[in-house]
Amino acid sequence: MSVAILAAERPVCAYVYDRAVLHANVRALRAALPAGTRIAYAMKANGDDRVVAALLTHVDGLEVASGGELAAAVAAGSPFTVFSGPAKTDADLRAAVAAGAVINVESLHELRRLTVHGRARVCLRVNRSHPALPGSHAMAGVPTAFGIDEALLPEAVRLVREGGLDLAGFHLHAVSNNLDAAAHAAYIRGAVAWAGEAAGRWGVQAPIVNVGGGFGVDIAGDGRFDLEAFRDALSDLDLPAGATLVVEPGRFVAASAGWYAAEVLDVKQTHGRWFVVVRGGTHHFRLPASWGYSHPFTVLPVDAWPYPFERPQVRDATVDVAGEQCNPRDVLARDAPVSAVRAGDVLVFANTGAYGWEVAHHDFLRHAHPQFMII
Ligand SMILES: *Cc1c(COP(=O)(O)O)cnc(C)c1O
């Protein structure tokens, strides 16, 4: 990774993604899941074509959440595609039916619209009633724009049958970034039991039980999703007859496989506070700004210095890492202790492979995009 960064164009501003880490993350997750579980990588976490292509050799398919992602999944040759999203257009639905995707239907109205597009394979996305889960972005068990309330299921099943749709199963994605492996296993057990019951009641043979993503990554600390505890807690999971368990991990697969690197353009002090200003910022990696935390980094020293004058630097201090935007909120880290950092060195932010570039406001201020490298 360091070699790739040091070979990048100057001033360095790059994302580096590592195929070996992507593959290792999928292997680790698969080893902790019940045998036969299908892994559909949630490509919104990192939709870089080369990342998706690399992952397709290890996962069973892709989870997509827009018409654009669906088109990318089709182009990439995804063998098994599941399509979620609360605002699918008719064009999206048509494309999904043509692609043979499993459509996670989010409302009765969506079901009705789907019936005009042919014999679609659908999973009903259900917003079940269950206690809140740990993690960020709760999507079920609370009022959200996602899924169908349990009370509406009889109506949903009636629409499926009358519309000639193929009821493949249930989609129950509930949360993102859950670091509590025991709680996540308990959620999956509850979801599987619920889906078994529902499949029995509605006569769904060999159901898909899609429990979604949500496997957490502590991108700024040293917590971790305990895969061993997770595996143990699921070891005697009782799936309904013929059922296929599907998971849709995004963050867990991609986060630790990415690094964001930004060269220091200036080091300066104002009103007693040190600022390290980089070629890059929150328009490339937005999570520190949107979640309000400091992202850890390491300093990759670059000894070459092209100018005939003094090199701005600071030693043994705490610094704020500011980006290139003319905006005081463009800060990647605050009060970060550094032993030495100089203009021309490169700051490397690990764990930036998921929801990094994808969720950032790339074109605000028209700074050049980073370079994207895959190793
Ligand atoms: C975002 C999303 C995922 C992926 O979530 P992670 O927390 O990244 O694992 C999976 N399924 C659906 C429906 C999603 O919206």
Side-chain angles (χ1 to χ4, degrees):
M1 179 269 295
S2 305
V3 169
I5 290 170
L6 292 175
E9 290 158 29
R10 304 291 302 275
V12 175
C13 179
Y15 268 102
V16 183
Y17 303 130
D18 186 338
R19 290 185 180 93
V21 179
L22 292 167
H23 292 163
N25 289 343
V26 174
R27 275 197 299 269
L29 191 58
R30 196 183 289 288
L33 287 160
T37 301
R38 282 200 198 180
I39 300 179
Y41 167 62
M43 68 179 285
K44 77 172 182 290
N46 186 328
D48 183 285
D49 287 346
R50 296 166 301 173
V51 166
V52 171
L55 280 169
L56 275 174
T57 63
H58 280 60
V59 299
D60 301 286
L62 299 174
E63 188 268 348
V64 301
S66 73
E69 287 190 347
L70 176 68
V74 169
S78 169
F80 170 70
T81 305
V82 294
F83 185 14
S84 314
K88 301 182 194 79
T89 64
D90 285 339
D92 294 339
L93 295 175
R94 222 176 355 259
V97 173
V102 176
I103 304 173
N104 295 324
V105 175
E106 309 250 1
S107 77
L108 299 184
H109 179 55
E110 186 182 327
L111 262 183
R112 290 190 184 97
R113 287 194 294 130
L114 197 47
T115 56
V116 304
H117 298 297
R119 188 169 169 81
R121 262 186 107 194
V122 303
C123 281
L124 297 175
R125 181 168 187 177
V126 183
N127 183 342
R128 292 186 303 139
S129 306
H130 54 63
L133 284 160
S136 62
H137 305 72
M139 296 186 198
V142 292
T144 65
F146 308 103
I148 301 169
D149 262 12
E150 279 182 65
L152 297 176
L153 273 185
E155 174 73 355
V157 174
R158 189 180 65 74
L159 287 170
V160 167
R161 297 271 148 79
E162 286 178 9
L165 304 176
D166 173 9
L167 181 52
F170 302 95
H171 178 247
L172 304 166
H173 174 71
V175 74
S176 194
N177 208 17
N178 187 359
L179 274 169
D180 183 338
H184 208 66
Y187 149 71
I188 290 176
R189 296 183 77 98
V192 166
W194 182 93
E197 240 256 332
R201 176 166 337 140
W202 309 112
V204 184
Q205 305 298 320
I208 289 177
V209 182
N210 186 336
V211 295
F215 308 88
V217 179
D218 185 0
I219 57 172
D222 50 15
R224 66 187 261 290
F225 188 89
D226 185 342
L227 283 175
E228 294 72 39
F230 179 72
R231 185 195 57 213
D232 292 347
L234 288 184
S235 58
D236 61 343
L237 183 72
D238 203 9
L239 280 172
T244 303
L245 187 66
V246 176
V247 295
E248 305 171 328
R251 189 185 318 271
F252 188 86
V253 170
S256 62
W259 291 264
Y260 177 55
E263 182 167 329
V264 177
L265 294 183
D266 210 340
V267 178
K268 65 204 250 190
Q269 204 175 23
T270 65
H271 293 270
R273 199 169 180 93
W274 281 102
F275 291 88
V276 171
V277 185
V278 296
R279 157 69 185 108
T282 58
H283 52 318
H284 299 164
F285 184 63
R286 200 172 83 129
L287 292 184
S290 55
W291 289 8
Y293 73 97
S294 279
H295 201 93
F297 61 88
T298 53
V299 179
L300 197 57
V302 175
D303 288 335
W305 177 249
Y307 303 108
F309 37 81
E310 182 188 346
R311 190 169 181 177
Q313 54 190 289
V314 60
R315 290 185 168 276
D316 300 317
T318 58
V319 302
D320 287 1
V321 177
E324 62 196 344
Q325 295 170 35
C326 49
N327 166 8
R329 296 187 183 199
D330 185 17
V331 174
L332 293 166
R334 286 185 203 278
D335 290 322
V338 290
S339 54
V341 60
R342 307 166 293 183
D345 290 338
V346 178
L347 305 190
V348 181
F349 299 82
N351 290 322
T352 51
Y355 305 112
W357 174 251
E358 330 297 310
V359 300
H361 43 297
H362 312 147
D363 293 320
F364 181 46
L365 270 159
R366 299 195 187 205
H367 287 289
H369 288 181
Q371 227 186 311
F372 291 86
M373 299 186 271
I374 188 155
I375 58 175

